[in-house]
Each structure stands twice: as structure tokens, then as C-alpha cells.
């Protein structure tokens, strides 16, 4: 797997979107994005078990993170006025690219570093989505991307042992994904929440979440 220093990943995550942004991350010929397999919560990286680790998180062929897991990331130093600039398809694509970078950071350095970066990126994106104008044609894509980013941040915060923040980000993810009508990622977020509840010794809550998915997705009786 291609190794990138954490400092360089931080720079990539902080770069503003642009035409040359996608080319800034060096890739080996024929390589693919690594799957990231989060490990049990709260355990040090050197002692985490692998026998009960949650399912792998992967990146789809179009560059979107399916499942995964911030300090230097975000645009908090950006002038306040620029945060309300209209959102474009290029901006959405830049957020997706940064999500790919987060997955690579998680694979190389673990959830502690990646979760801090993911949290800052979500806060930055959250501000833009709430304050900026955007065409209605981007509504579903924008909300789905924001929800997926929140889901990734929640997963990584959970892996890093920051359970309260993980729970909050999971609810943010559900909010955006329901606005987008993205049922597949909504179910993925609910799966994460159920797994977290089980880990935190809340089996009734974990079961209730799983049952709610089964009930809502049950085909109507013929």
C-alpha cells in the first residue's frame, strides 16, 4: 500500500477545491484504494483485536466512501464571506475526494488521527451547507455527501473511543441522509449505531435499531 506522511495527508485535506486537486494525491500504478477495517473501540492500536472487528469499509469505483473513518482539516481560517459562496458540483466532488483521503489516513495511521480530521471536515461542510446557496438539482447529491461524511466521522470517532461525539455525528448523518432520501447509507448508519450500542453494553438498544430497519424495509403483505 502506498505510504503518505501524515503531514502530507493533512495538507491534502486542507487544500481548497480546484481543477488540479484530484491530481495532488500520488497513486501507484495499478493500485486501488485500501479497504479500512476498523478495530474494536477504545483499545490502543497495538493491542486491538481483529477477531471481532466490524466489516471492512471500502471506496466505490466512483471514489465515494462506503464505510470508514480530524486537526488540520477544514476551512476554519477561510474568510466568513466565502463560506456563503454558492455550492457547486465541484465543491461536492472535493468533499468526496477528501473523504477518500480520510480513508487512506485511517488505513495508515488509525482512527485517532483520522477522526480528528473527519470531525473538522464535517464542521466545515455543515457550515457551508447551511449558509450557502445551491441549485435544487444538487439537493440530493449535497445532502447525501454531507450525510456520508457524518457517517464516516461517526464511525472513526467510535473507533477512537469518542463515543458521545460518535453518537452525535451518527444522528447528523441520519438527518442529512433522510433529507437526501438515501436509504442505503441511512441503513449503513443505523448498522453503525447498533454496533456501537452493542459495544457499549446496550443490547436492547442495539436490537431495537436492527428491528426498526427490518420493519421499515419489510415488503408490504400481498
Amino acid at each position: 500500500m502506498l505510504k503518505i506522511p501524515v503531514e502530507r495527508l493533512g495538507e491534502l485535506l486542507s487544500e481548497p477545491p480546484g481543477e488540479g486537486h484530484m491530481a495532488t494525491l500520488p497513486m501507484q500504478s495499478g493500485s486501488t484504494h485500501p479497504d479500512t477495517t476498523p478495530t474494536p473501540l477504545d483499545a490502543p492500536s497495538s493491542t486491538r483485536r481483529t477477531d471481532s472487528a466490524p466489516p471492512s469499509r471500502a471506496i466505490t469505483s466512483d471514489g465515494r466512501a462506503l464505510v470508514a473513518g480530524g486537526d488540520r482539516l477544514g476551512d476554519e481560517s477561510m474568510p466568513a464571506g466565502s463560506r456563503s459562496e454558492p455550492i457547486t458540483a465541484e465543491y461536492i466532488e472535493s468533499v468526496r475526494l477528501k473523504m477518500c483521503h480520510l480513508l487512506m489516513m485511517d488505513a495508515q495511521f488509525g482512527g485517532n488521527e483520522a477522526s480528528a480530521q473527519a470531525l473538522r471536515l464535517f464542521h466545515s461542510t455543515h457550515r457551508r451547507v447551511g449558509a450557502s446557496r445551491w441549485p435544487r438539482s444538487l439537493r440530493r447529491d449535497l445532502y447525501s455527501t454531507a450525510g456520508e461524511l457524518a457517517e464516516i466521522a461517526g464511525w472513526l470517532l467510535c473507533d477512537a473511543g469518542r463515543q458521545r461525539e460518535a453518537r452525535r455525528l451518527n444522528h447528523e448523518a441520519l438527518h442529512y441522509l433522510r433529507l437526501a432520501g438515501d436509504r442505503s447509507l441511512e441503513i449503513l448508519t443505523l448498522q453503525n449505531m447498533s454496533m456501537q450500542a452493542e459495544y457499549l453494553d446496550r443490547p436492547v438498544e442495539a436490537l431495537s435499531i436492527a428491528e426498526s430497519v427490518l420493519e421499515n424495509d419489510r415488503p408490504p403483505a400481498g
Side-chain angles (χ1 to χ4, degrees), residues 89-108:
E90 288 73 23
Y91 171 78
I92 296 173
E93 193 61 34
S94 76
V95 174
R96 289 179 178 170
L97 179 63
K98 290 181 179 183
M99 288 156 58
C100 295
H101 293 168
L102 285 169
L103 285 175
M104 296 183 70
M105 176 178 286
D106 179 48
Q108 290 186 216

Side-chain angles (χ1 to χ4, degrees), residues 43-64:
S45 298
S46 59
T47 60
R48 290 175 183 170
R49 302 189 311 274
T50 58
D51 56 340
S52 58
S56 296
R57 305 171 68 85
I59 301 176
T60 61
S61 59
D62 67 353
R64 298 185 66 192

Side-chain angles (χ1 to χ4, degrees), residues 32-78:
T32 58
H33 289 292
D35 287 354
T36 302
T37 305
T39 47
L41 313 174
D42 297 322
S45 298
S46 59
T47 60
R48 290 175 183 170
R49 302 189 311 274
T50 58
D51 56 340
S52 58
S56 296
R57 305 171 68 85
I59 301 176
T60 61
S61 59
D62 67 353
R64 298 185 66 192
L66 279 181
V67 196
D71 254 5
R72 230 179 347 250
L73 187 151
D75 59 358
E76 295 181 17
S77 61
M78 186 172 62

